[in-house]
Amino acid sequence: MASPAKTPPTSRLTPAKAEAAEALLSTPRPAGEAAWAQEVRAAAEARLRAMGAPARRDEYWKYVDPAPLLAGAEADVAGGAFDAVDGPAAHVGGAAPALEGVEASTLGAALSADLGWARALFGVLELAGQEKVARPLAALSTARAAHGFALRAVGKAPAPLRIVNAAGFARHLVRVESGAELTLLETGAATNTLFEIDLAPGATLHHIRVQEGARPAAAAQVFARLGEGAALRSFTLAADGALTRNETVADLAGDDASAHIGGAVLAKGATTIDSTVFVTHSGLRGESRQVFKNVVDEGARAVFQGKIFVRPEAQKTDGYQISQSILLSERAEFLAKPELEIYADDVKCSHGSTTGAMDPEALFYLRARGVPEREAVSLLVAAFVDEAVAEIEDEALADLVRARVAAWMAAR
Amino acid sequence: MLNIDNLHVKLEDEGAPILKGLSLDVPAGEVHAVMGPNGSGKSTLSYVLSGRDGYEVTAGSAQMDGEDLLAMEAEERAAHGLFLAFQYPVEIPGVSNMIFLRTALNAQRKARGEPELNAAEFLKLVRAEGQKLRIDADMLKRAVNVGFSGGEKKRNEILQMAVLQPRFCILDETDSGLDVDAMKLVASGVNALRSPDRGFLVITHYQRLLDHIQPDVVHILHDGRIIKTGGPDLALKVENEGYEGLIEAAA
Ligand SMILES: Nc1ncnc2c1ncn2[C@@H]1O[C@H](COP(=O)(O)OP(=O)(O)OP(=O)(O)O)[C@@H](O)[C@H]1O
Ligand SMILES: [Mg+2]
């Protein structure tokens, strides 16, 4: 594992990057935390100083200018997508939720106590995720985020748990114990959101996230480690917003782990939505899927950077990645950078990416049957996006996401 | 019912005309067949009538019940009761046949100010029509035309026609790719719709379909124009002698 101050090869520290990092750290460290937490914070500060703030010239920020993410604009965004779901809601900044099978506390409480599992997690997966690529905004979260939740699932939770982010930082620690299963539904927007997710052998986590409505630039990061036979089911619906950078970093550490990372992107107007995924296969027979569907309209840009990294020992890996886009306007852009880096010889990995306008033949076929153009476009877009939405295993939750897609199309 | 007068059509982005003064009238209650060599403009005619983008009408007119078809959007023409059974039915991944048909039917009904069908009423209607064409529940659930065989696609066109109950139907080579039994199913689907207030334009290369769907009039289309119009025996003549004699006589 990299030492805290080691700089990954992809970032070169310039005076401007160093200065910007200093500015990000100008606010004080959260007060009153345990000594161990303060040590983790200090190490993250050093890490951030060593790599500097992200800049447009960094390879990892080739398609997206990170500047708005450093400005720290704040706004609360209502996140009502899952209001109809029966289950407790936890508002970042508020009290910890109560749900059977889940030990929950606020991040502040977890970092003030000597909670063994939280101590084994906080900053640890973020640090591990810095190995191949510099992720300064993640180090910033470890250095400064004061709000969020620490959730430990010890059984099969009887209902989904809703997390509603608020302006500023949102930092969540999630540990799902062996055989336990938890569904997290995430809405609202923070400037910098970060989940560290640790899945014990045989654990399952469903993480379904809806980012919608007008909102300032935001970075949302997920660092997940999957133990033997663990399953991560992650889905994100990202719609509009000034700039959204979603980074998902998953390590299939144990044998027979399975990670499905799905995303639907709906972008229109002065909007950039970036889905960046880095899946590492470390264990045997790991299975991973990345399925991203982008609908890009007038003036907007969608970006997909997806990587499958297979370590030499990860034989029998089955890795799949697809990113597709429909451009609804000539002034719409989709940029894709699919990458495979494979060091094992007995693996099955594939990736694909397509982009283009809506199929004019399909559109005419629908219209020739009497479906008005607007409705026909909505139907075709819904069908396109549904290949990603179908990654959500719970039909009722998938339907809630479909409803948000339909609402976006209707408002278009 | 359908009145096409001196229609001239070219592709929007190309200079050469495809239809060069085509005139044709189909009164209500009649079935007219259109035959003609490959590339003579039959599908172009069907697309221009149904409102596909990419064509430019440089002269002439096309009316249905006295209304200017060419001024309407494709969906308006459909709501008006115009239906095209495509020569090459389109595949729509991710949209089930049921959703497709129900959306289409209710959009048309809405445009005409008629009440929409609820799920149960619709299901009953589609099941009944599907049964006649040997299209089972499984096929109805599948995505529109995706993975359908050539013949299944053609039967699916006729199912759509049966459910939508259009007043004027254009069938563009619905018989090609059909086996003998499927051809009979399709023909009986068409014949079931024949009525004094409906009209049909049946585009075909073969007399065989016309054995099952007896036309009132047969037109021969060549190089963008109707060069001959006659009775059902004209189709037999084409079957036996080909187009050459007819083209020479018209020249
Ligand atoms: N989109 C297009 N681009 C270029 N040429 C076209 C296009 N559409 C039609 N044409 C040309 O116009 C002519 C008429 O084509 P059309 O498809 O109407 O013929 P058809 O009578 O239906 O032939 P077939 O019996 O083979 O179905 C052909 O020469 C064809 O190549
Ligand atoms: Mg044709």
Side-chain angles (χ1 to χ4, degrees):
Chain A
M1 198 175 287
S3 71
K6 189 178 155 201
T7 311
T10 46
S11 96
R12 210 171 52 79
L13 187 61
T14 62
K17 285 164 70 86
E19 202 176 301
E22 223 45 65
L24 290 172
L25 291 168
S26 62
T27 53
R29 223 181 266 168
E33 293 178 349
W36 70 266
Q38 294 192 45
E39 275 168 39
V40 174
R41 301 263 196 209
E45 288 165 12
R47 196 149 64 232
L48 176 54
R49 287 197 169 95
M51 54 193 158
R56 187 67 201 262
R57 305 221 344 231
D58 298 347
E59 177 67 17
Y60 218 45
W61 293 89
K62 194 162 134 185
Y63 303 123
V64 172
D65 184 356
L69 295 167
L70 311 180
E74 298 195 351
D76 272 311
V77 171
F82 297 120
D83 281 356
V85 176
D86 205 7
H91 294 263
V92 169
L99 179 62
E100 196 186 314
V102 179
E103 297 169 6
S105 63
T106 63
L107 179 75
L111 300 186
S112 305
D114 195 11
L115 215 51
W117 72 266
R119 194 170 167 170
L121 189 52
F122 179 58
V124 173
L125 294 188
E126 176 259 303
L127 171 60
Q130 305 277 3
E131 183 190 339
K132 300 283 287 182
V133 193
R135 304 175 192 276
L137 297 172
L140 175 65
S141 168
T142 303
R144 288 291 177 269
H147 297 295
F149 298 103
L151 308 167
R152 177 170 177 250
V154 293
K156 194 170 174 355
L161 180 61
R162 278 183 283 152
I163 294 181
V164 185
N165 294 316
F169 286 99
R171 175 63 173 256
H172 308 291
L173 307 176
V174 180
R175 161 101 183 160
V176 183
E177 297 296 349
S178 269
E181 184 168 353
L182 177 64
T183 298
L184 293 179
L185 307 176
E186 184 195 353
T187 57
T191 312
N192 183 324
T193 308
L194 196 152
F195 278 80
E196 281 176 304
I197 295 169
D198 192 15
L199 303 182
T204 300
L205 178 72
H206 304 267
H207 178 206
I208 304 166
R209 177 163 68 170
V210 173
Q211 303 163 326
E212 59 182 351
R215 57 191 190 283
Q221 299 136 113
V222 174
F223 290 84
R225 178 172 60 197
L226 286 73
E228 187 177 339
L232 174 67
R233 299 289 179 259
S234 152
F235 178 87
T236 303
L237 173 69
D240 302 329
L243 165 62
T244 305
R245 165 85 164 199
N246 288 324
E247 277 184 39
T248 302
V249 182
D251 183 11
L252 287 74
D255 295 343
D256 302 297
S258 162
H260 294 186
I261 300 157
V265 165
L266 311 172
K268 181 182 194 312
T271 293
T272 298
I273 299 175
D274 172 332
S275 311
T276 289
V277 180
F278 197 118
V279 171
T280 300
H281 283 265
S282 304
L284 288 170
R285 295 175 300 272
E287 185 254 347
S288 69
R289 279 170 70 78
Q290 303 171 34
V291 180
F292 283 79
K293 297 273 173 170
N294 301 266
V295 181
V296 196
D297 203 349
E298 190 72 23
R301 164 187 278 199
V303 175
F304 175 78
Q305 303 191 92
K307 179 148 182 168
I308 305 175
F309 176 58
V310 183
R311 295 192 195 275
E313 59 275 25
Q315 297 294 1
K316 307 278 182 202
T317 284
D318 181 354
Y320 174 74
Q321 178 198 100
I322 182 90
S323 69
Q324 296 182 301
S325 82
I326 285 186
L327 306 179
L328 293 179
S329 150
E330 283 181 9
R331 291 204 325 112
E333 201 177 11
F334 175 62
L335 301 165
K337 188 180 173 199
E339 270 185 293
L340 300 178
E341 191 177 337
I342 302 172
Y343 296 102
D345 49 24
D346 185 14
V347 303
K348 195 175 90 189
C349 281
S350 64
H351 66 78
S353 183
T354 64
T355 186
M358 179 142 278
D359 178 7
E361 300 292 328
L363 199 54
F364 173 61
Y365 196 53
L366 278 158
R367 295 180 67 191
R369 294 295 177 257
V371 182
E373 181 168 15
R374 224 184 120 75
E375 205 180 327
V377 169
S378 291
L379 193 64
L380 293 174
V381 163
F384 171 76
V385 168
D386 212 63
E387 287 170 40
V389 177
E391 294 288 312
I392 300 173
E393 289 174 11
D394 184 303
E395 264 313 297
L397 295 176
D399 281 343
L400 289 177
V401 170
R402 288 184 182 108
R404 302 320 301 157
V405 175
W408 186 85
M409 282 306 293
R412 179 181 165 257
Chain B
M1 179 173 206
L2 180 75
N3 307 97
I4 305 169
D5 184 37
N6 191 33
L7 194 62
H8 286 70
V9 171
K10 68 179 202 64
L11 292 170
E12 259 171 12
D13 44 15
E14 266 172 66
I18 300 175
L19 300 184
K20 306 169 184 176
L22 186 147
S23 299
L24 186 67
D25 291 302
V26 184
E30 292 193 6
V31 173
H32 288 207
V34 173
M35 303 179 84
N38 293 131
S40 55
K42 303 181 299 296
S43 291
T44 301
L45 173 65
S46 72
Y47 285 141
V48 169
L49 291 176
S50 53
R52 191 189 200 198
D53 289 335
Y55 302 98
E56 187 184 330
V57 176
T58 53
S61 66
Q63 296 186 326
M64 185 170 150
D65 300 327
E67 288 193 63
D68 182 5
L69 269 182
L70 303 177
M72 297 181 211
E73 297 289 351
E75 53 266 38
E76 293 174 306
R77 301 180 199 196
H80 233 76
L82 183 71
F83 179 90
L84 167 64
F86 284 56
Q87 182 174 2
Y88 305 108
V90 179
E91 298 186 1
I92 310 184
V95 177
S96 78
N97 247 331
M98 287 300 256
I99 298 283
F100 174 80
L101 255 178
R102 192 173 161 201
T103 306
L105 179 62
N106 280 337
Q108 288 197 17
R109 294 180 71 100
K110 197 172 153 192
R112 292 193 292 258
E114 299 163 11
E116 297 182 20
L117 289 195
N118 67 32
E121 291 165 333
F122 174 75
L123 196 66
K124 202 173 149 206
L125 172 65
V126 174
R127 286 232 177 105
E129 295 300 338
Q131 207 159 34
K132 289 183 206 160
L133 289 156
R134 304 222 180 101
I135 293 176
D136 60 18
D138 185 53
M139 253 173 88
L140 289 169
K141 267 190 237 150
R142 278 161 60 186
V144 177
N145 292 325
V146 177
F148 285 31
S149 74
E152 286 169 346
K153 285 180 182 171
K154 295 302 179 77
R155 273 189 281 146
N156 202 24
E157 293 292 287
I158 300 306
L159 171 68
Q160 292 171 25
M161 188 176 85
V163 169
L164 295 171
Q165 300 268 311
R167 291 184 306 117
F168 196 91
C169 309
I170 306 167
L171 283 74
D172 190 357
E173 294 196 32
T174 303
D175 52 334
S176 53
L178 289 183
D179 66 41
V180 184
D181 295 329
M183 170 111 65
K184 283 184 189 153
L185 287 178
V186 163
S188 55
V190 172
N191 289 329
L193 276 185
R194 283 181 85 153
S195 76
D197 53 4
R198 283 206 178 89
F200 291 83
L201 199 61
V202 179
I203 297 169
T204 182
H205 285 295
Y206 306 108
Q207 160 63 29
R208 208 171 49 153
L209 178 70
L210 303 179
D211 285 341
H212 301 289
I213 306 171
Q214 295 275 324
D216 298 291
V217 175
V218 174
H219 304 274
I220 307 299
L221 178 59
H222 169 66
D223 193 22
R225 265 181 293 253
I226 301 295
I227 56 165
K228 190 164 177 72
T229 294
D233 49 330
L234 186 54
L236 278 170
K237 189 176 156 73
V238 167
E239 182 93 347
N240 295 328
E241 301 169 19
Y243 293 110
E244 230 165 84
L246 290 166
I247 293 169
E248 274 166 22

